[in-house]
Amino acid sequence: MENAMKVTGLRKVFNQHTAIEDVSFNVKRGEIFGLLGPSGSGKTTTIKILTGELLQTSGDVKVLDFDIAFFKTPDFKSRIGILSDNSSLYDRLTVYDNLKLFCKLYDAPLEQIDVMLEEVNLKDARNKAVSKLSKGMKQRVLLAKALIHKPDLVFLDEPTSALDPGNIAHIHRGLQKLNEAGTTIFITTHDMEEATKLCDRVAFLDKGRIQELGNPNALRYKYSTHAFHVETFDDKRLVIENERENADEIKELIATGKVKSIQSDNPTLGQIFLKITGKELV
Amino acid sequence: MHTQRIGAIFEKDLKDFMKNMMLLMMPIAPILLSIMYSRLGDGEEIPISMLYIIVGVTFSAVTSSSMMTMMAEENEKKTLRGLMLSPASFMDIIIGKSLVVALITAVSLAISLFLMGIEPFLSAQAIIGLVLLFLFFLFLGIGIGLFAKSIASTSAYIMPVMFLFGFTPMIEFLALGEDSIAIKVADAFPIMQLINMHDTNSWVPIGVVALWTIGAALFTYICFKKERTDD
Ligand SMILES: Nc1ncnc2c1ncn2[C@@H]1O[C@H](COP(=O)(O)OP(=O)(O)OP(=O)(O)O)[C@@H](O)[C@H]1O
Ligand SMILES: [Mg+2]
């Protein structure tokens, strides 16, 4: 099985409002796949369909070789992990008791609790009531909960939205490690840096359709003008096309010691998104 | 159904119950009431209808009320979603919670009845009656819990359950006269049937209460179908 997911012509209409029009993509086994799109573009809706929480209006979905008819079975549910956009925990119970519940529901060994707490950097909060945690700490407990049964495929709906940079970096390392161990990761995010750094491939979702799909660096190359941006010591900014006949001009600039900096044009994913859809990705 | 998952829900809900001040007050209410009644009676035998008022208070204020509150809280705090996405079935979740409610109800009712005089309940017939009545109130609690979206809204639902089914014997205090329609209707209600059972020793009241329980189960089933099919 090469594909972890196969989505064809997915469409979802909520009483007359079309949330997604026609979405198709495959996610390969073992990859980190990012679904990017502005607020309201249908990212959460797509995840809900892929995890069996919502029924699509039309289109075909296959996840881990399971047909949508089997999405409600314990067999399927125990092979996927979900961090949804507004999941929550039992406030009065401790972090440990919350994770213990899910360990038992997913039939995972209880030793996993401490392993996961270490993983999300929360060992010290083990016996604290969830109501006493900060938003970022809760988010990390939710992440531990999503991963506690070692799923083959995880869905992460904006997993780092409430976290500070230190914890984001920590979580990113954890996700990369998880991925190296073979877990397929499907992630939605607004954070372009996160997508560029983590994802093997990203899909841009807008107007209910996938507008572009590819490896982040390949996309940056594809949408690059390939020009050089040169800044000189007398504060001039030059844009020089990457053409043979411009070689002498660049050589001259360097030879005369005028170059302060020189960069090739490489748009960020956010700039590419803006270029394709005319929308900011925030 | 899956015993380990039911056990996990039971353990979680029992711990959560013990840490929830609002829920903890519920089983204490009938106990306090029993202490008051048993003081008032000074040594005289307490009438059966009084004992059933305690039973009614326990089943409405503890059984129905805590069941719907627990379910409404899962809805309100969005924790139900996490459970539904897990391998646990909706049945596992309901059974786990029901067992917690059964345990708390049993403890609260046993203490109350010990204080008031438990002798009238020490027969197979009376115990069957109590079990059926418990299931009746439990189903009402589950049914309402299925559509109650917030804890605040449950207090509106618990009132009619309490006054209609929990406090039915109190209709005597309204001095309506034997022939009043209200009294005749109330006589068919489950608690009144069980009070009559103690006078007549007939099994007919058990049958009537069983019908009420089946009705409540049907109500729960309809609520379930309505809530679980439209997303
Ligand atoms: N249950 C629902 N009923 C009706 N409309 C809905 C429902 N869920 C989502 N929608 C609509 O579908 C569209 C897509 O919503 P969705 O939550 O999937 O967006 P999103 O990409 O996840 O946004 P965000 O980045 O803000 O999380 C929105 O217009 C939303 O209003
Ligand atoms: Mg969303």
Side-chain angles (χ1 to χ4, degrees):
Chain A
M1 177 175 70
E2 203 211 335
N3 283 327
M5 252 188 259
K6 208 170 151 64
V7 177
T8 332
L10 191 63
R11 178 180 162 84
K12 176 72 190 178
V13 183
F14 291 109
N15 29 9
Q16 345 240 317
H17 170 77
T18 307
I20 44 181
E21 184 84 48
D22 180 10
V23 167
S24 303
F25 61 86
N26 292 341
V27 175
K28 297 191 196 103
R29 285 220 123 200
E31 82 174 334
I32 304 185
F33 187 94
L35 186 62
L36 315 181
S39 187
S41 56
K43 302 182 295 294
T44 300
T45 304
T46 305
I47 286 196
K48 282 188 176 173
I49 294 169
L50 295 174
T51 54
E53 217 183 321
L54 267 182
L55 214 54
Q56 77 272 41
T57 308
S58 61
D60 226 30
V61 176
K62 213 162 194 158
V63 178
L64 294 174
D65 273 350
F66 282 82
D67 214 72
I68 199 149
F70 298 94
F71 283 10
K72 298 269 185 214
T73 60
D75 217 19
F76 175 75
K77 286 170 163 182
S78 56
R79 288 188 52 196
I80 62 169
I82 307 164
L83 170 65
S84 53
D85 61 339
N86 61 0
S87 11
S88 66
L89 299 156
Y90 296 95
D91 278 342
R92 285 180 288 267
L93 299 183
T94 61
V95 170
Y96 183 86
D97 283 337
N98 268 279
L99 293 178
K100 187 177 177 192
L101 167 68
F102 288 94
C103 245
K104 288 186 161 183
L105 290 182
Y106 282 96
D107 213 357
L110 293 180
E111 295 82 71
Q112 269 295 96
I113 300 173
D114 287 315
V115 174
M116 285 319 301
L117 284 177
E118 174 87 57
E119 210 57 55
V120 297
N121 205 9
L122 272 181
K123 262 169 72 180
D124 299 336
R126 189 180 187 272
N127 297 317
K128 269 197 186 163
V130 166
S131 58
K132 304 241 156 47
L133 303 184
S134 71
K135 205 169 167 218
M137 288 163 99
K138 283 185 195 164
Q139 184 74 352
R140 284 182 281 151
V141 181
L142 286 167
L143 188 64
K145 173 193 131 182
L147 302 174
I148 203 150
H149 55 294
K150 299 187 177 159
D152 297 334
L153 166 64
V154 288
F155 294 90
L156 306 173
D157 201 351
E158 297 179 32
T160 52
S161 57
L163 304 181
D164 60 88
N167 274 310
I168 290 181
H170 188 91
I171 296 292
H172 283 174
R173 276 196 299 279
L175 290 178
Q176 273 159 341
K177 218 171 84 186
L178 192 74
N179 180 247
E180 275 156 27
T183 312
T184 309
I185 300 177
F186 185 93
I187 184 171
T188 74
T189 178
H190 287 155
D191 182 346
M192 289 302 115
E193 231 176 287
E194 174 167 72
T196 314
K197 189 171 154 230
L198 273 184
C199 298
D200 297 310
R201 289 191 306 148
V202 293
F204 290 160
L205 182 62
D206 187 48
K207 299 198 187 77
R209 290 168 200 273
I210 302 288
Q211 307 286 351
E212 180 61 279
L213 192 154
N215 173 273
N217 286 321
L219 288 178
R220 293 178 71 191
Y221 182 76
K222 178 177 168 187
Y223 286 90
S224 166
T225 57
H226 309 297
F228 296 110
H229 293 245
V230 181
E231 194 184 349
T232 62
F233 282 108
D234 47 0
D235 281 334
K236 270 193 228 142
R237 285 161 200 274
L238 308 167
V239 179
I240 304 170
E241 295 301 319
N242 184 359
E243 306 285 351
R244 244 167 240 250
E245 62 265 29
N246 294 337
D248 287 340
E249 191 185 346
I250 294 171
K251 189 177 166 194
E252 171 73 20
L253 281 167
I254 297 172
T256 52
K258 283 183 183 157
V259 175
K260 193 175 176 187
S261 77
I262 182 163
Q263 277 162 334
S264 59
D265 171 73
N266 246 342
T268 64
L269 288 185
Q271 289 164 337
I272 298 170
F273 195 89
L274 183 66
K275 194 163 173 179
I276 297 172
T277 66
K279 284 180 193 153
E280 294 279 357
L281 246 184
V282 276
Chain B
M1 273 217 289
H2 188 286
T3 25
Q4 184 185 319
R5 291 180 199 130
I6 292 173
I9 304 275
F10 174 81
E11 187 184 337
K12 181 270 289 179
D13 274 320
L14 188 61
K15 271 187 191 148
D16 202 36
F17 197 106
M18 292 307 167
K19 291 181 174 173
N20 186 341
M21 282 321 279
M22 194 176 81
L23 286 182
L24 273 176
M25 294 307 288
M26 293 170 178
I28 292 173
I31 297 174
L32 290 179
L33 207 59
S34 309
I35 294 173
M36 264 168 51
Y37 277 165
S38 54
R39 290 275 164 86
L40 282 177
D42 28 58
E44 278 175 49
E45 202 182 319
I46 297 166
I48 289 287
S49 61
M50 209 56 135
L51 293 176
Y52 272 99
I53 287 179
I54 291 295
V55 171
V57 169
T58 312
F59 285 169
S60 53
V62 183
T63 314
S64 296
S65 186
S66 51
M67 191 67 193
M68 64 178 89
T69 309
M70 282 158 79
M71 289 174 69
E73 185 170 13
E74 297 258 20
N75 246 326
E76 183 176 330
K77 302 233 171 113
K78 311 258 184 288
T79 44
L80 185 62
R81 193 167 161 213
L83 295 183
M84 294 302 291
L85 288 169
S86 83
S89 68
F90 196 66
M91 208 50 156
D92 296 337
I93 299 168
I94 293 295
I95 294 174
K97 285 188 186 309
S98 298
L99 290 174
V100 172
V101 172
L103 178 69
I104 306 280
T105 305
V107 171
S108 170
L109 188 63
I111 296 175
S112 303
L113 292 183
F114 267 117
L115 290 167
M116 299 269 287
I118 201 162
E119 294 76 31
F121 296 97
L122 299 178
S123 76
Q125 201 182 27
I127 290 170
I128 292 171
L130 284 183
V131 170
L132 285 173
L133 197 62
F134 166 77
L135 290 175
F136 170 77
F137 279 97
L138 182 69
F139 284 134
L140 285 187
I142 298 172
I144 295 169
L146 280 166
F147 59 77
K149 293 283 176 268
S150 71
I151 304 168
S153 69
T154 57
S155 46
Y157 297 119
I158 190 65
M159 286 303 157
V161 171
M162 247 188 207
F163 284 104
L164 281 176
F165 299 110
F167 296 156
T168 339
M170 292 202 180
I171 197 166
E172 284 175 20
F173 303 139
L174 294 179
L176 289 170
E178 276 300 304
D179 297 328
S180 127
I181 293 179
I183 298 249
K184 291 222 168 83
V185 172
D187 266 341
F189 275 41
I191 289 203
M192 299 308 268
Q193 287 289 318
L194 292 183
I195 293 173
N196 291 341
M197 175 187 77
H198 284 266
D199 294 338
T200 59
N201 277 329
S202 149
W203 283 87
V204 176
I206 293 282
V208 176
V209 176
L211 285 179
W212 278 99
T213 307
I214 292 168
L218 229 65
F219 162 74
T220 306
Y221 181 75
I222 292 165
C223 293
F224 176 78
K225 279 284 157 204
K226 229 177 121 10
E227 282 304 309
R228 292 281 139 216
T229 42
D230 51 10
D231 44 53

